[in-house]
C-alpha cells in the first residue's frame, strides 16, 4: 500500500542559493566566452571577450570565497536518500567544482599576468599578479588553465545532469534544495 505525503524539504539558505546560481551563470559565461574568443580570430570583439573573461574569472574566485563563507555560516541541508556511491559521487563532484572554479581562473590570471600584463578588472583596476614575466613562464600555466577548464566543463555537465536526473527521473527533492521551488509529494511504499 502506498501513501502520499508532502515532505518538508531542507533547503540551502537564500544567500547560498543566490551565490550558487550566480556562480553557475558566471561559469557558463566564462566557458562560452573562452571557447568563442579562442576561435574567432583577432579583432575588437576578441579583445573585449578576453577582457570580460579575465574580469569575470576574478569574480568567480570571489564567488567561491563568498560561497564558502556562507556555507560556514549556514551549513548545508541533508541529502535526499540515495545509495552510498551516489552520495560519494556527489561529494567528490562538489569538491571538484570548488577546486576547479578556483584553479581555472587563478591559473588564467597567473598566466595572463606573466605574458600580457596588465590584467585589469573591467578595463580599470590593475589586478596583475606578481609573477615572473614572459611567454615561457605563461605557456605551461595556460596549459593547466586549458585542461582544468575542460575538466570543469565535464564536471559541470555531470553535476547538472545528476541534478536533472534526481529531479525528473528519481523525482526527489535534490534540486529543490538549491531552488525556491516547492517540494515534491513523496510517495512512500510500505
Amino acid at each position: 500500500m502506498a501513501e502520499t505525503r508532502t515532505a518538508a524539504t531542507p533547503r540551502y539558505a537564500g544567500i547560498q542559493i543566490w551565490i550558487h546560481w550566480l556562480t553557475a551563470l558566471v561559469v557558463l559565461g566564462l566557458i562560452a566566452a573562452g571557447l568563442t574568443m579562442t576561435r574567432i580570430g583577432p579583432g575588437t570583439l576578441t579583445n573585449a571577450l578576453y577582457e570580460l573573461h579575465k574580469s569575470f574569472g576574478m569574480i568567480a574566485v570571489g564567488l567561491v570565497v563568498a560561497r564558502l563563507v556562507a556555507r560556514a555560516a549556514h551549513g548545508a541541508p541533508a541529502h535526499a536518500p540515495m545509495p552510498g556511491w551516489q552520495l560519494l559521487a556527489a561529494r567528490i563532484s562538489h569538491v571538484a567544482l570548488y577546486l576547479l572554479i578556483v584553479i581555472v581562473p587563478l591559473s588564467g590570471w597567473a598566466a595572463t599576468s606573466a605574458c600580457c600584463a596588465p590584467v585589469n578588472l573591467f578595463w580599470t583596476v590593475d589586478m596583475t599578479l606578481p609573477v615572473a614575466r614572459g611567454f615561457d613562464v605563461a605557456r605551461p600555466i595556460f596549459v593547466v588553465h586549458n585542461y582544468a577548464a575542460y575538466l570543469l566543463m565535464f564536471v559541470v555537465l555531470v553535476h547538472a545532469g545528476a541534478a536533472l536526473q534526481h529531479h525528473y527521473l528519481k523525482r526527489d527533492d535534490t534540486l529543490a534544495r538549491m531552488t525556491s521551488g516547492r517540494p515534491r509529494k513523496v510517495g512512500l511504499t510500505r
Side-chain angles (χ1 to χ4, degrees):
M1 173 171 134
E3 65 183 48
T4 303
R5 67 176 170 85
T6 302
T9 301
R11 288 193 172 74
Y12 284 93
I15 189 69
Q16 291 171 293
I17 293 170
W18 187 83
I19 293 170
H20 173 272
W21 292 109
L22 183 58
T23 303
L25 184 64
V26 168
V27 168
L28 291 175
L30 286 166
I31 290 169
L35 292 173
T36 303
M37 70 191 194
T38 57
R39 287 169 172 76
I40 62 175
T44 305
L45 176 59
T46 303
N47 292 340
L49 286 173
Y50 271 100
E51 290 303 315
L52 290 170
H53 186 76
K54 290 183 278 188
S55 295
F56 279 102
M58 289 183 262
I59 287 171
V61 173
L63 287 170
V64 168
V65 171
R67 187 156 178 190
L68 291 172
V69 169
R71 175 80 178 250
H74 298 285
H79 286 276
M82 65 181 79
W85 71 267
Q86 284 183 356
L87 187 57
L88 179 61
R91 288 183 176 147
I92 290 170
S93 72
H94 282 105
V95 169
L97 283 169
Y98 279 105
L99 288 174
L100 290 166
I101 293 171
V102 171
I103 291 168
V104 173
L106 284 182
S107 60
W109 191 357
T112 305
S113 293
C115 76
C116 314
V119 178
N120 294 319
L121 182 63
F122 296 109
W123 292 273
T124 56
V125 180
D126 185 355
M127 302 287 288
T128 306
L129 294 174
V131 296
R133 301 282 192 255
F135 281 101
D136 290 339
V137 173
R139 196 170 291 113
I141 303 171
F142 273 127
V143 169
V144 169
H145 177 73
N146 292 335
Y147 280 111
Y150 282 109
L151 182 57
L152 176 59
M153 284 186 262
F154 173 75
V155 175
V156 164
L157 287 173
V158 168
H159 179 72
L164 293 173
Q165 182 258 353
H166 276 276
H167 188 73
Y168 290 108
L169 299 179
K170 294 186 95 172
R171 304 189 62 75
D172 66 24
D173 286 334
T174 297
L175 185 59
R177 294 169 358 123
M178 194 50 83
T179 66
S180 58
R182 294 187 167 183
R184 295 179 178 273
K185 292 186 185 235
V186 179
L188 297 176
T189 305
R190 291 186 188 234

